[in-house]
Amino acid sequence: MNRTSALFLAVALLQGCQSWSPQQQAAPVPVAQPAPTPDAEPQVYGSFTEETVFSLLSAELAGQRNRFDIALDNYVDQARKTQDPAVAERAFRIAEYLGADPSALETSLLWAKNAPTDLDAQRAAAIQLARNGDYDESLQYMEKVLQGQGDTHFDFLALSAADTDESTRQGLLQSFERLLQKYPGNGQLIFGKALLLQQGGDGQGALALLESNPPQDGEIAPILLRARLLASLDRGSEALPLLEKNLKKYPEDKRLRLTYARMLVEQNRMDDAKVQFSTLVQQYPDDDELRYSLALVCLEAKAWDEAYSYLQELVERGSHVDSAHLNLGRIAEERGNPQAALDEYTQVGPGTDFLPAQLRQADILIANGRAVEASRRLAEARSNQPDYAIQLYLIEAETLANNDKTQDAWLVLQNAIKQNPDDLNLLYTRSMLAEKRNDLVQMEKDLRAILAREPNNAMALNALGYTLSDRTTRFEEARTLIEKAHSLNPEDPAVLDSLGWVNYRLGNLDAAERYLRSALERFPDHEVAAHLGEVLWANGKQREAKKIWGKALQEQPDSPILRSTILRLTGSETL
């Protein structure tokens, strides 16, 4: 067979083999020149050797048989040998689809090199270089796209730098500034620079850049970034009017309305958020993510009937089914119908919603005097879903303990640890239950066992240190444990609370007050408030102590630690 007839045979066969690849835009093999302009000469076909034709034909047949590894290897090999832009593009499309990053980078560069006027080729090379961290070279290719009046992706280059080190980001930022001097007012460059400034922690600079360079018509991304920057800089009251103004201009833009709706949720304007999500569902009736978001907003707004309707729709559509049943159970509980709630929770299958559904079932049953049934259901769940066995034991023990069935909870944990003696979560839970039972020996034994295996387990260090400081006089030992936990988790409010409390027990009132203020600021919890109030009281700041206690009581009026602390120090249950 001569070369010409071999080539035409390959063209016929290869054009009929395109269906195996999901990248429908991939060009047939024999094209040897960049895509023609309207006034270009007719397409010129290259003359491939029989070896090349056979290799490419084998690649297409391999692709039809799902042997994409062979297809990719053959195309990459022939892209190198032929330097043909169409072969390189086809190799790139396959590599990109397979996620073969090194091959995608190599073939995109071959494509760009051999098709210097093809903007798609230059853009592909730029993006692959950016993914590989070669930002300066990437910008060179993207500038070619800019010069050719093509659609650039400077925003992608900036976003791809999010996880890089500061020096790399600064270098890329300088490159953007250099390009902006050559192409002032380019929206993509301005947006990319703003992204880089935001990533570097200069939110004010990013916002100033966007505000001094209003987006051109149709540019939505800069508006969204500006709104997010305003919110992050505690100027959320300015973000909503900005989004409202642009929604009037672009009422059909999904991104704008969705950002506006989510920001309304963040500002706890649930009724307004519900209106926006309803509009989105009307605009995009097939988008079940939006329908689910609307259902959740209705739940937060306590619009039970509307939430129920949307959740039922999701079940009927077969979308978010487990989450829908979980939340339908929640609605049934809110309506005072525990049996209906149980019916919903039992329909939640394995996945992220499975354990919350099991927890709610156990709580309902045990709270209603049906502990035996709760144990039976949890045992069945452990049998049917052994991967969840330990979590289900924990659910059973903690639910029993929370319903004043401490002895039953203890027996559950003993059985669970007998079957899973090395599980640290079970040991930790038993240690906390032992403390409730005033069995400090067992509590310490379990926590020491955890620390023997994980010396840097901050949670166990803090739990043991706090209990020693609160329930014993081993204050120095307690402080050593808590300070180690603090070195591991310096911002953890629970550790800060413990550090404050052990300093109080040691008589270091100023240090205790400092740590407890920091803890309460991070986590306004009733127990932390009780501790801080007691330290303030001892430090001669009784008026402030009462103020802190009073605020905490408004949030949790039944808190036993608050009530007992107030009674012990003031002699009265009221402030």
Side-chain angles (χ1 to χ4, degrees):
M1 181 184 296
N2 61 39
R3 290 182 178 179
T4 304
S5 59
L7 175 61
F8 282 120
L9 175 59
V11 172
L13 287 171
L14 294 179
Q15 287 178 329
C17 294
Q18 299 299 307
S19 60
W20 70 266
S21 172
Q23 301 293 336
Q24 294 301 319
Q25 69 271 36
V29 168
V31 181
Q33 300 297 328
T37 62
D39 298 326
E41 293 296 322
Q43 188 76 28
V44 177
Y45 290 87
S47 179
F48 294 152
T49 66
E50 291 184 18
E51 177 191 354
T52 294
V53 172
F54 181 78
S55 177
L56 296 178
L57 180 58
S58 298
E60 291 293 334
L61 293 173
Q64 280 191 321
R65 290 162 174 76
N66 295 328
R67 288 302 307 272
F68 304 122
D69 54 334
I70 295 175
L72 179 61
D73 288 346
N74 284 16
Y75 263 105
V76 170
D77 180 54
Q78 292 305 319
R80 293 170 185 152
K81 290 178 177 178
T82 66
Q83 296 291 306
D84 185 275
V87 174
E89 179 187 3
R90 184 85 165 131
F92 165 71
R93 300 295 185 195
I94 298 170
E96 188 178 40
Y97 170 66
L98 295 177
D101 293 338
S103 295
L105 174 60
E106 180 187 359
T107 53
S108 68
L109 292 172
L110 284 172
W111 182 21
K113 170 189 170 184
N114 291 288
T117 61
D118 188 328
L119 300 186
D120 286 339
Q122 309 308 311
R123 187 185 300 108
I127 291 173
Q128 292 303 316
L129 285 164
R131 284 178 176 160
N132 197 52
D134 301 321
Y135 298 109
D136 286 339
E137 190 176 356
S138 172
L139 278 170
Q140 295 173 20
Y141 281 91
M142 198 60 79
E143 187 176 1
K144 293 180 183 179
V145 181
L146 183 61
Q147 292 168 344
Q149 306 294 313
D151 182 22
T152 57
H153 285 275
F154 290 113
D155 54 343
F156 175 84
L157 302 188
L159 285 168
S160 68
D163 297 325
T164 62
D165 57 82
E166 183 61 24
S167 61
T168 300
R169 191 180 299 112
Q170 284 299 319
L172 188 54
L173 185 59
Q174 292 174 7
S175 296
F176 268 72
E177 290 170 348
R178 187 167 60 250
L179 282 174
L180 269 171
Q181 292 176 0
K182 294 174 66 175
Y183 307 97
N186 181 276
Q188 281 270 320
L189 284 170
I190 292 166
F191 179 60
K193 182 181 175 181
L195 281 172
L196 290 168
L197 290 170
Q198 179 202 30
Q199 292 166 9
D202 187 6
Q204 292 283 7
L207 183 59
L209 177 64
L210 292 173
E211 289 179 336
S212 61
N213 293 276
Q216 299 176 2
D217 285 346
E219 290 185 338
I220 304 300
I223 300 168
L224 301 178
L225 178 58
R226 184 178 167 190
R228 288 196 297 271
L229 288 166
L230 286 167
S232 69
L233 295 168
D234 296 324
R235 293 168 59 184
S237 59
E238 298 175 55
L240 287 177
L242 171 68
L243 294 170
E244 289 166 359
K245 173 185 174 182
N246 283 281
L247 265 175
K248 292 177 181 176
K249 190 174 181 181
Y250 308 106
E252 301 300 318
D253 192 277
K254 185 178 183 179
R255 296 166 297 169
L256 264 178
R257 194 173 298 278
L258 185 56
T259 301
Y260 180 52
R262 287 172 174 167
M263 202 163 287
L264 288 168
V265 171
E266 290 171 6
Q267 298 193 19
N268 204 32
R269 290 174 53 180
M270 293 302 169
D271 288 337
D272 293 330
K274 188 170 64 169
V275 171
Q276 296 304 317
F277 275 110
S278 295
T279 301
L280 283 165
V281 170
Q282 291 172 6
Q283 290 177 331
Y284 305 95
D286 294 329
D287 191 331
D288 286 329
E289 292 295 331
L290 292 174
R291 185 171 281 99
Y292 182 58
S293 296
L294 176 55
L296 294 181
V297 169
C298 290
L299 284 170
E300 289 300 312
K302 298 186 177 181
W304 309 124
D305 290 344
E306 291 178 77
Y308 182 89
S309 175
Y310 292 123
L311 291 169
Q312 285 286 18
E313 282 185 28
L314 287 167
V315 172
E316 292 166 5
R317 295 167 65 89
S319 180
H320 295 277
V321 174
D322 288 334
S323 296
H325 281 304
L326 180 68
N327 286 295
L328 285 167
R330 175 184 168 189
I331 293 172
E333 286 195 74
E334 292 288 346
R335 288 173 168 173
N337 191 339
Q339 187 55 52
L342 287 171
D343 292 342
E344 295 293 345
Y345 293 140
T346 55
Q347 297 182 68
V348 177
T352 56
D353 299 303
F354 180 71
L355 291 174
Q358 295 295 319
L359 174 61
R360 294 307 314 137
Q361 286 185 75
D363 195 52
I364 290 171
L365 291 167
I366 293 171
N368 285 276
R370 298 162 64 182
V372 174
E373 183 179 349
S375 294
R376 177 182 59 76
R377 288 194 183 204
L378 288 167
E380 289 178 357
R382 284 192 291 270
S383 176
N384 294 331
Q385 303 294 335
D387 289 343
Y388 292 99
I390 289 172
Q391 295 97 317
L392 291 167
Y393 273 124
L394 291 169
I395 284 173
E396 185 173 2
E398 291 177 9
T399 307
L400 286 165
N402 291 338
N403 284 274
D404 298 322
K405 294 182 178 295
T406 305
Q407 182 58 27
D408 291 339
W410 185 260
L411 294 174
V412 167
L413 284 172
Q414 294 290 74
N415 182 43
I417 291 172
K418 184 178 179 180
Q419 296 181 47
N420 305 275
D422 296 326
D423 188 83
L424 300 188
N425 289 313
L426 290 171
L427 283 176
Y428 183 83
T429 303
R430 186 172 69 177
S431 75
M432 295 298 97
L433 192 57
E435 191 271 339
K436 281 187 178 181
R437 287 159 54 94
N438 293 315
D439 187 352
L440 299 189
V441 172
Q442 182 65 56
M443 181 219 70
E444 183 171 356
K445 180 181 178 182
D446 284 339
L447 291 175
R448 295 285 185 191
I450 293 171
L451 291 171
R453 290 173 54 189
E454 294 185 357
N456 291 330
N457 188 312
M459 189 166 64
L461 287 164
N462 184 59
L464 181 55
Y466 174 77
T467 303
L468 292 178
S469 67
D470 190 55
R471 303 286 298 276
T472 76
T473 57
R474 295 157 61 185
F475 302 140
E476 289 295 345
E477 185 181 355
R479 178 163 64 178
T480 299
L481 291 163
I482 297 168
E483 285 179 345
K484 184 174 181 181
H486 183 244
S487 70
L488 294 166
N489 284 334
E491 300 299 320
D492 187 338
V495 176
L496 290 169
D497 174 59
S498 298
L499 202 52
W501 193 243
V502 74
N503 273 282
Y504 169 62
R505 299 282 275 169
L506 286 162
N508 305 323
L509 296 184
D510 290 341
E513 181 181 333
R514 185 173 66 255
Y515 285 123
L516 287 166
R517 284 188 188 279
S518 182
L520 190 64
E521 180 182 341
R522 288 167 171 76
F523 184 55
D525 175 72
H526 63 109
E527 185 170 351
V528 180
H531 288 162
L532 177 57
E534 182 161 347
V535 171
L536 291 169
W537 190 273
N539 223 4
K541 302 176 182 178
Q542 287 86 356
R543 181 176 297 178
E544 186 180 0
K546 287 183 176 181
K547 182 179 178 181
I548 286 172
W549 288 334
K551 183 178 180 182
L553 278 172
Q554 289 179 350
E555 297 293 327
Q556 195 151 348
D558 298 327
S559 168
I561 189 172
L562 273 172
R563 292 291 181 187
S564 64
T565 300
I566 293 167
L567 178 61
R568 174 164 48 83
L569 295 177
T570 69
S572 172
E573 292 187 357
T574 59
L575 293 172

